[in-house]
Amino acid sequence: SQDGDACPNTGRIRDLNQGDDDSNARKMCPPKGKEDWSALAGQQEVVLLRALGFDTTQILNGQELDDKGIANSYVMQQFWGFHYYSQLLGSDGGSVLAAASALAAQRTTGVNSLAKSPEFRKEDMKWDARNRRCRGICLTASNCQNC
């Protein structure tokens, strides 16, 4: 969706000159309601990062996010040293390396919060599909001729 979806681990690191796109930006602001799915997912990811020792203070306060509450690759690089979402939260990303040296209680907190994130992302994608002209009937969300 426009606010973020599951980030596939492609096993490659893109050229840093390619700029930001939706797959590298995540909504991490406080949710505006109980159905602000992308923000709810982002907040769970922030809880994981905080549990693993990443500094999330400014993100939790809504600072350094754009007007939509999005943390782009510049913010991720500035705070955590990673340009891309998959480098931070991917299956072989920085959070996995941090978890290896974290205390068991920190890992448990992180795993519990991260387990909720994909469900919120799925709900966000369903919401996005329902708001397209085709109401999510078409098989391809991108390049849909009806939408």
Side-chain angles (χ1 to χ4, degrees), residues 33-96:
K34 65 181 183 174
E35 292 185 358
D36 189 355
W37 303 115
S38 58
L40 288 165
Q43 286 294 288
Q44 294 305 311
E45 293 159 358
V46 170
V47 169
L48 164 74
L49 294 171
R50 185 178 61 221
L52 297 177
F54 290 87
D55 181 10
T56 60
T57 307
Q58 290 183 306
I59 299 296
L60 288 172
N61 293 332
Q63 299 170 336
E64 301 298 330
L65 303 175
D66 71 9
D67 58 344
K68 293 182 182 178
I70 305 270
N72 60 30
S73 64
Y74 171 77
V75 170
M76 287 187 238
Q77 171 63 33
Q78 180 182 0
F79 287 106
W80 306 310
F82 300 95
H83 279 84
Y84 300 107
Y85 182 80
S86 60
Q87 291 175 328
L88 179 61
L89 289 166
S91 61
D92 57 352
S95 61
V96 174

Side-chain angles (χ1 to χ4, degrees), residues 8-13 86:
N9 182 0
T10 62
R12 65 187 178 93
I13 298 174
S86 60

